[in-house]
Amino acid sequence: MCAAHAPIRVLSPGVAERIAAGEVIERPSSVVKELVENSLDAGATEIAVILEDGGKSLIEIIDNGHGMTPENLALCVQHHATSKLSSLEDLDRIMTLGFRGEALPSIAAVSELTLLSRPFGGDTAFELKASTPGEAGSTSQPQRVTFGHFLNSPHGTRIQGRGLFSQIPARLKFLKSQGAEVAQVREWIERLAIAHPKVGFRLVSDDRTLLNLRAPQPNQDESVRISQILSDGEDYPVVHTSVNTEVGDIRVFWLQGMSSPQTRKLIQVVNGRALRDRLLQQAMLAPFRQTLLPGRFPSAVLHIQMNPAELDVNVHPTKTEVRFLNPGKVFHEVESAISAMIAKQGAPAFASASSCSSTFQFDSVPLMPRQETESAYSPRLGVQSTPSATLFSNQPVDKNPLKSGRLVGMLFNTYLLFDLGEEAALVDQHAAHERIRYEQLRKRVFQKSLEGDLNFQSQTLLIPEAVRFPLESRTIIESRLSWLNSLGFEVEIFGEDTLLFRSIPIEWGMEMLRTRLKNLIDRVLAADIHSTSELFHDETVFETLASEACHSSVRAGDRLERMEAEKLVDLLFQCEHPWNCPHGRPTVVKVSQDRFEEWFQRRV
Ligand code: ADP
Ligand code: MG
């Protein structure tokens, strides 16, 4: 019988439940997110997440929140049962993370749920077992049990979900590898931990502690946690800015100098709600387009505190996105706050000896022995590094802040060393030169395009360079050949599928030329544009052009004369974004005299 004539049947409640639950619960990280949000709503200050087999066998959350009475425990797994909302108007000013009353019944529909809770002030805990709502015998009655340890608190809740999706093979088969699922869980815990910096979080997977974010000391601020999370347990300095706008209070934290190929470390928090919001993510990325290459993303946190009435949090079943009453304005304010921060920020100042090791090494200087390698997430920062002083060292806009200092030499033929009186600055000559080249080239190209002057200086190659392209792209190549010629290349089609470069722009060096030309061709082919004038508005083509040219820059290991070195630093600080190379690495790093004194134990 063909499907068109199949009779309509009403699905059994069990099947319907499981299908509906799929909207809220996609994978282990969705369970964790919902349960941790419940713990946060219950006022927990400590939350532990325990996984077995990537969450497939067990997801357990323990909190020291206010717990549930046996009456509430019996109700909480029912649909639309919530203690957080009572009327539709409440939605307009919702301050709790949950409000739908859908998480627990959805989790019960896709796993075997055991809840254990002891309310604040109650004399005992109660346990309840629940599975697919709507099926007979799906929920037990709360049973009195003796259990009094909710992370050292007499009250709290422990929720265990076993056999996630074991009844739903279609879902089970879409789960990724155990490692990938655990990584997702970790990512969400990190987002939630940034939104709630005063709460301690722990993640244990198959008996291994992956995260241990302790509640901060009273004198520590949230930047400590943000820095730990953004730099994966290290404590690189974060740059910070905050502005009051018409939209609300906007704060941004940026792990300057680092970039990653993923958007995992781009975190948005709106009114305490950890999100993965597309609009906000785009607004965060826009200002970095000048600073980072295509395909590289900054590590940054955006906090917005705004009037809840201008926000709809009820637009996404998993509540990972929100809708703004005025999205254009929000976008604009976020973008300009971040642009201003990038424009005025200073060189990264290293906060701890251990963090130096991954960027550069002082082979001749004894580093402080690194303690606590295992628990890299413990708030080691609090011990010695005065985070608010070093982490937020926003420099005033100064053309060349190293001018007042003295160039004392060069380390490893790579780093220029400046004595600035109370600190030392190291300039990575290669990164600096890349930045200079990149901006010069960009400027020149844009200037020319404005003037309608499309003649670029080129240099003739002694031996022409042949680069193949996919045969099916020949028509596009033919139509775009004139662009390449207008950018300073002299190039023609040779045979079926080869481009022959006879000249290249004057800025380009020879090293790995073929690879760089190939990258450029790939980018030109991928560009979604139809005319030469449109080409001049396609930033990614120019970014590729500029960054491919950058390879001709001064290499680490090239010896520079004093005059050349000083000139290099001068030129660097004429750049729009002097503090990073176009690939996002720092160009300048500062080390305070205090730090030297610690190394030599002149200070206690
Ligand atoms: P929502 O969070 O939208 O209210 P849930 O299904 O997630 O819906 O939870 C239902 C109710 O169960 C909550 O409103 C809350 O009263 C209670 N609850 C859930 N988890 C906890 C917890 N960890 N501690 C205390 N109460 C909880
Ligand atoms: Mg909830």
Side-chain angles (χ1 to χ4, degrees):
M1 183 169 49
C2 98
H5 300 290
I8 293 177
R9 288 192 204 94
V10 174
L11 293 174
S12 79
V15 174
E17 279 292 341
R18 289 186 179 118
I19 291 174
E23 282 228 326
V24 185
I25 304 302
E26 264 178 87
R27 53 202 301 188
S29 65
S30 0
V31 176
V32 170
K33 176 176 181 285
E34 291 295 338
L35 296 182
V36 169
E37 287 188 340
N38 281 346
S39 301
L40 290 165
D41 280 343
T45 56
E46 292 288 341
I47 300 172
V49 178
I50 296 152
L51 303 177
E52 276 171 25
D53 190 17
K56 276 196 263 178
S57 319
L58 174 74
I59 298 175
E60 175 174 313
I61 273 86
I62 313 174
D63 70 52
N64 65 351
H66 58 52
M68 282 179 267
T69 60
E71 298 73 41
N72 278 353
L73 196 58
L75 277 173
C76 73
V77 285
Q78 305 290 318
H79 279 292
H80 317 301
T82 176
S83 56
K84 302 168 193 174
L85 188 85
S86 52
S87 71
L88 207 52
E89 290 80 62
D90 287 351
L91 252 188
D92 237 17
R93 44 176 180 267
I94 191 91
M95 290 311 274
T96 49
L97 301 173
F99 50 83
R100 295 162 177 254
E102 276 302 290
L104 290 178
S106 302
I107 299 169
V110 294
S111 65
E112 295 286 326
L113 208 54
T114 307
L115 302 95
L116 178 89
S117 195
R118 179 167 161 188
F120 182 80
D123 52 13
T124 182
F126 285 83
E127 189 182 76
L128 180 98
K129 288 188 186 300
S131 54
T132 318
E135 282 184 352
S138 59
T139 302
S140 66
Q141 282 300 309
Q143 302 290 316
R144 196 176 276 273
V145 288
T146 42
F147 184 90
H149 283 288
F150 297 91
L151 309 172
N152 292 325
S153 151
H155 55 85
T157 302
R158 185 186 75 186
I159 298 187
Q160 297 169 316
R162 290 179 203 276
L164 181 67
F165 298 142
S166 59
Q167 309 283 321
I168 314 165
R171 255 300 148 86
L172 199 57
K173 108 179 154 214
F174 278 102
L175 290 187
K176 300 204 174 116
S177 71
Q178 179 175 332
E181 294 299 338
V182 174
Q184 278 289 318
V185 168
R186 179 188 178 130
E187 180 184 329
W188 272 105
I189 295 179
E190 288 177 343
R191 282 173 193 269
L192 290 158
I194 279 181
H196 298 270
K198 296 210 159 67
V199 176
F201 289 86
R202 216 173 316 152
L203 169 62
V204 178
S205 166
D206 290 335
D207 295 329
R208 279 187 49 223
T209 299
L210 301 185
L211 270 180
N212 189 4
L213 296 162
R214 296 199 202 133
Q217 309 290 320
N219 61 344
Q220 283 179 331
D221 61 32
E222 63 186 327
S223 64
V224 175
R225 172 164 290 182
I226 289 176
S227 158
Q228 286 176 340
I229 290 175
L230 291 185
S231 58
D232 277 321
E234 299 286 346
D235 40 32
Y236 283 112
V238 288
V239 180
H240 165 256
T241 189
S242 64
V243 278
N244 302 324
T245 69
E246 270 180 57
V247 162
D249 290 341
I250 296 179
R251 288 180 299 139
V252 184
F253 296 81
W254 174 34
L255 189 70
Q256 190 213 351
M258 299 295 139
S259 72
S260 104
Q262 291 136 12
T263 55
R264 193 165 85 86
K265 303 274 169 166
L266 267 175
I267 296 171
Q268 302 94 39
V269 180
V270 178
N271 290 358
R273 201 174 278 285
L275 303 173
R276 216 190 153 135
D277 185 89
R278 259 168 299 179
L279 173 97
L280 293 179
Q281 187 161 304
Q282 287 312 315
M284 288 175 85
L285 284 175
F288 286 102
R289 244 183 289 146
Q290 306 287 314
T291 320
L292 296 175
L293 281 179
R296 303 297 299 181
F297 301 97
S299 301
V301 171
L302 167 70
H303 275 279
I304 304 180
Q305 200 65 40
M306 64 187 292
N307 180 355
E310 292 187 14
L311 187 70
D312 188 353
V313 292
N314 186 27
V315 290
H316 198 280
T318 59
K319 301 174 289 171
T320 52
E321 300 215 323
V322 290
R323 192 184 293 144
F324 296 100
L325 204 56
N326 195 336
K329 209 169 186 172
V330 173
F331 191 99
H332 171 77
E333 294 292 1
V334 169
E335 189 182 11
S336 47
I338 296 181
S339 301
M341 178 191 72
I342 297 176
K344 79 159 197 221
Q345 46 74 10
F350 274 89
S352 91
S354 63
S355 62
C356 296
S357 55
S358 48
T359 303
F360 65 90
Q361 303 266 328
F362 280 115
D363 291 337
S364 54
V365 179
L367 294 175
M368 299 274 283
R370 179 164 180 182
Q371 307 129 344
E372 301 183 84
T373 347
E374 179 58 47
S375 56
Y377 270 82
S378 62
R380 168 159 53 93
L381 250 188
V383 189
Q384 10 89 315
S385 60
T386 56
S388 42
T390 37
L391 295 186
F392 302 149
S393 64
N394 287 356
Q395 309 286 311
V397 193
D398 181 342
K399 273 296 170 206
N400 180 355
L402 308 187
K403 196 94 195 169
S404 57
R406 198 164 50 91
L407 175 62
V408 287
M410 186 191 258
L411 283 173
F412 320 128
N413 281 345
T414 302
Y415 307 104
L416 309 174
L417 178 60
F418 286 83
D419 178 351
L420 301 179
E422 281 169 4
E423 51 187 355
L426 289 146
V427 179
D428 177 330
Q429 62 178 41
H430 175 59
H433 202 231
E434 274 197 1
R435 167 53 67 187
I436 296 164
R437 277 289 170 117
Y438 177 74
E439 290 203 8
Q440 280 178 343
L441 195 68
R442 270 187 71 92
K443 210 177 288 165
R444 196 166 321 160
V445 170
F446 277 120
Q447 190 59 37
K448 291 221 175 216
S449 76
L450 283 179
E451 291 164 359
D453 166 13
L454 299 184
N455 289 314
F456 290 88
Q457 271 187 297
S458 20
Q459 47 183 329
T460 309
L461 298 172
L462 278 180
I463 305 161
E465 197 67 71
V467 180
R468 300 266 294 265
F469 57 82
L471 193 53
E472 65 274 19
S473 311
R474 186 174 167 119
T475 352
I476 312 185
I477 288 280
E478 279 168 353
S479 70
R480 297 185 175 181
L481 213 53
S482 60
W483 302 355
L484 286 169
N485 282 308
S486 66
L487 293 170
F489 297 93
E490 203 182 299
V491 54
E492 64 200 53
I493 295 182
F494 178 77
E496 286 276 273
D497 60 353
T498 305
L499 280 171
L500 201 62
F501 286 85
R502 297 187 183 283
S503 306
I504 55 174
I506 195 95
E507 293 85 0
W508 282 50
M510 294 300 149
E511 198 183 324
M512 288 165 53
L513 183 59
R514 236 156 70 89
T515 319
R516 291 184 288 129
L517 289 171
K518 176 81 182 131
N519 287 344
L520 182 71
I521 302 296
D522 286 348
R523 179 53 74 183
V524 166
L525 281 175
D528 183 22
I529 36 185
H530 310 284
S531 67
T532 310
S533 62
E534 273 183 66
L535 169 74
F536 286 102
H537 293 112
D538 188 309
E539 290 199 8
T540 56
V541 170
F542 288 116
E543 264 151 29
T544 311
L545 192 68
S547 68
E548 295 305 341
C550 281
H551 282 260
S552 63
S553 308
V554 179
R555 295 261 132 208
D558 289 353
R559 224 194 133 76
L560 289 188
E561 294 306 321
R562 167 173 295 268
M563 292 271 283
E564 291 174 307
E566 279 167 350
K567 177 83 183 151
L568 183 78
V569 174
D570 254 348
L571 286 174
L572 175 66
F573 285 100
Q574 284 168 28
C575 289
E576 211 180 321
H577 300 289
W579 304 103
N580 303 90
C581 82
H583 308 89
R585 293 188 301 272
T587 49
V588 184
V589 158
K590 291 185 184 176
V591 184
S592 69
Q593 189 178 353
D594 286 358
R595 176 68 57 205
F596 282 83
E597 285 169 4
E598 274 170 30
W599 288 335
F600 293 98
Q601 301 181 3
R602 285 165 160 269
R603 264 182 198 207
V604 253

